[in-house]
Amino acid sequence: MRILLTNINQLFQVRDVSESIVSGEAMAVLPALENAYLLIEAGKIRGFGQMSDFSIPSADRQIDCTGRMVLPAFCDSHSHIVFAQPRDQEFVLKIKGASYEAIAAAGGGILNSAEALSQASEADLFSAAKARILSVVAQGTGALEIKSGYGLSVASELKMLRVIQRLKAALPLPIKATFLGAHAIPSRFQGDKTAYMDEVVNEMLPNVAAEGLADYIDIFCERNYFDAGDVSRLLSAGAKYGLRAKVHTNQFSSCGGVQAAIAGNALTVDHLEVLPENDLEALVNSDVIPVALPGCSFFSRLPYTDARSIIAAGKSLALASDFNPGSAPSGNMEFILSLACIQLRLTPEEAINAMTLNGAAAMELQHQVGSISVGKAANLIITEPMDSLAFMAYDFGNSTIWKTLINGQELPS
Ligand code: NIG
Ligand code: FE
C-alpha cells in the first residue's frame, strides 16, 4: 500500500535517520520543508521532498494536505495510563487545601489507586487502557511508555504488566513497558521500607524478567517514598537482568536521586520540578535524558521544571504527559506543548523537538519514530490548515490535529 501526502504547507522535523537526539542550542532548530510531499509505503516513510521537484509517483491513496502541516506524531515517554479508576474525589480535597503528601498519608494517592487496581480484572484494565490509548492517539500520540506501579504486590504488578503486554500486541503504535514496583510503600509494609524493597528486588523483579514483561525499571525517589540508596539498589538489581532505568526524582525535593540514577546508568530522570545547581551540574555532565512533565506541575500546582536552564547548559530535554489518575489526569500532548511554551518558555521548535525526536530517544525508539526520516514508521500528525506551527501551541485547549496516522493508517477512535 502506497499513500501519498501532497501539497503539505510545511513538513516539520525532517532529518537524516542518524540524528537521534538534539541538545542545547540545537533544540531551537526544527528542520522543515515548504510545499512538500511525503510518500508512505508499507507503513513506513519511503520518501519526501518539495512539490516543485516532484514527478508524482503512483499511489493507492492520495491525501491532499493543502494548507496543512505534517510532523511526526508525539512520543510520550512517561505515562501511567493503565489504572482502575480516576481520583476525582481527591481532586476536590486538593481544591479545598489538602496537599498531595497529606492525601497520601491518609491512605489516598497511589495507595488508593493500588487498592482499586487489586480489585479490577485484567480484562477491564485492558479495555479501559485501550480506550485511553486510542483517545491519546487521536490527540497526536504515536509512541508511548506505560508504567506499572499501582500493583505494589507480586500478583498485581504482574497483572498490570501483563495488561501492558496485551496492549503492545493489540495496538500498532510502539509501546514500552516500565516496571515501577517501587512506586509507594504498601500499607502492609508501613514502617518497613526495606522489607518492601526486598520484595520488589527479590520477588517481583525476577518474575517480571522471567516473563519478559518490562523494557525498563523505575522508582519514585522522594521523601516518604524511596531514597537514593533504594535507587542504587534497584538499578543494580535491574542491570543484572539487562533492564535500564527511568527514575522519578526531584518532584518535591532534591534527594540524591539524580546522582544515583546517573551512577546506575539510567536512561532518563523524570520530573525535576526541584532542580538545585548541583543536580543540574550532575545532569549536564552525564548522558541521562531529563524529562519534564508540565502537565503534573499544572494539575498539581507544583513549580515548573527549569527547562531554560537545562537547555542553556547545553543539555537535551524531553517532554512527556505523566498521564496518571492522581497528579496529571491527561495524556493530551498538544496541551503539554502549550504548557511547555507558556510555562517553561520553550519556543515551539524546542518543544516539538522535546516531544518528538527527544521523546523517542527517551524510549530508545529514535531509530523507529520521532522524525520525518526515510525508513521510520509513518506515525504522523496532519494538522488543520494553519499558517505557522506556533499556532498549535498558541491555540491552547483546542485541537489543531486533523488526523493522526500510525503506520500510515488512522486508528478507529
Ligand atoms: O509521576 N510521582 C509519582 N508518581 C506519579 C503520581 C502517581 C499518582 O499520584 O498516582 C507521578 O506524578
Ligand atoms: Fe509519573
Side-chain angles (χ1 to χ4, degrees):
M1 172 90 164
R2 283 159 70 94
I3 304 164
L4 186 67
L5 313 190
T6 55
N7 302 311
I8 301 166
N9 183 352
Q10 291 185 77
L11 177 64
F12 287 101
Q13 194 62 305
V14 171
R15 292 187 186 267
D16 189 85
V17 74
S18 63
E19 289 180 87
S20 54
I21 191 162
V22 277
S23 312
E25 284 178 6
M27 284 193 67
V29 181
L30 190 66
L33 279 181
E34 291 198 5
N35 195 19
Y37 73 88
L38 182 132
L39 181 65
I40 300 166
E41 190 168 55
K44 295 212 155 79
I45 298 170
R46 175 67 197 275
F48 50 85
Q50 278 176 311
M51 292 298 290
S52 52
D53 30 77
F54 181 47
S55 56
I56 295 178
S58 63
D60 305 293
R61 183 178 171 207
Q62 195 158 321
I63 304 176
D64 181 3
C65 295
T66 299
R68 304 181 188 277
M69 310 295 188
V70 173
L71 63 152
F74 301 129
C75 298
D76 185 357
S77 69
H78 182 139
S79 93
H80 310 247
I81 209 166
V82 175
F83 57 87
Q85 276 172 20
R87 303 212 305 259
D88 41 320
Q89 294 316 310
E90 284 178 13
F91 169 64
V92 177
L93 292 176
K94 283 190 218 158
I95 293 168
K96 292 180 177 165
S99 69
Y100 185 94
E101 283 156 313
I103 287 170
I110 295 167
L111 297 188
N112 179 350
S113 284
E115 174 58 26
L117 189 127
S118 73
Q119 320 249 338
S121 72
E122 207 174 297
D124 286 351
L125 289 169
F126 171 80
S127 54
K130 185 177 167 199
R132 283 181 207 120
I133 294 173
L134 291 175
S135 158
V136 298
V137 168
Q139 293 168 340
T141 295
L144 182 63
E145 181 259 14
I146 310 175
K147 299 173 195 296
S148 68
Y150 294 131
L152 310 183
S153 70
V154 177
S156 289
E157 282 296 312
L158 290 173
K159 175 166 76 173
M160 270 192 97
L161 288 164
R162 287 186 194 121
V163 169
I164 302 172
Q165 190 180 43
R166 283 181 61 193
L167 292 166
K168 284 186 184 190
L171 292 163
L173 69 157
I175 293 175
K176 292 280 181 131
T178 300
F179 166 53
L180 174 57
H183 195 192
I185 300 154
S187 9
R188 66 185 189 286
F189 283 99
Q190 218 57 47
D192 198 353
K193 170 170 74 66
T194 307
Y196 181 59
M197 275 303 289
D198 290 343
E199 181 167 312
V200 170
V201 168
N202 300 329
E203 292 181 47
M204 294 183 193
L205 184 56
N207 278 295
V208 168
E211 283 191 47
L213 291 173
D215 301 295
Y216 300 109
I217 50 170
D218 196 343
I219 179 166
F220 185 21
C221 185
E222 191 55 61
R223 60 173 176 244
N224 301 328
Y225 292 84
F226 300 92
D227 59 28
D230 299 317
V231 174
S232 305
R233 181 179 175 194
L234 183 79
L235 270 50
S236 31
K240 295 198 181 99
Y241 296 99
L243 296 173
R244 283 185 81 185
K246 298 169 74 59
V247 175
H248 281 76
T249 191
N250 291 42
Q251 183 175 2
F252 301 103
S253 62
S254 165
C255 46
V258 168
Q259 290 77 3
I262 292 167
N265 189 35
L267 176 65
T268 69
V269 282
D270 302 43
H271 275 289
L272 307 173
E273 288 88 339
V274 176
L275 191 60
E277 192 57 44
N278 62 321
D279 287 354
L280 177 62
E281 205 179 299
L283 277 183
V284 170
N285 294 317
S286 77
D287 290 333
V288 80
I289 303 172
V291 181
L293 308 168
C296 175
S297 298
F298 171 76
F299 187 80
S300 304
R301 283 186 219 91
L302 295 175
Y304 286 87
T305 302
D306 186 359
R308 282 264 56 99
S309 292
I310 293 173
I311 294 174
K315 192 65 191 158
S316 62
L317 179 79
L319 285 164
S321 72
D322 197 17
F323 191 173
N324 76 76
S327 68
S330 166
N332 186 332
M333 290 291 276
E334 211 182 352
F335 183 57
I336 299 299
L337 169 68
S338 294
L339 284 178
C341 294
I342 298 160
Q343 300 288 359
L344 273 54
R345 293 179 178 269
L346 299 191
T347 64
E349 291 79 9
E350 289 172 325
I352 295 286
N353 272 318
M355 52 207 295
T356 57
L357 191 64
N358 289 3
M363 296 182 270
E364 295 176 296
L365 288 171
Q366 65 272 22
H367 301 300
Q368 228 175 299
V369 288
S371 64
I372 304 296
S373 310
V374 172
K376 283 197 181 181
N379 292 12
L380 308 170
I381 290 168
I382 308 177
T383 72
E384 297 293 349
M386 55 196 205
D387 293 334
S388 76
L389 190 67
F391 185 79
M392 192 184 227
Y394 158 91
D395 194 33
F396 90 98
N398 299 312
S399 174
T400 63
I401 294 171
W402 181 48
K403 287 179 194 303
T404 309
L405 304 183
I406 302 294
N407 303 323
Q409 303 289 335
E410 281 172 83
L411 303 191
S413 50

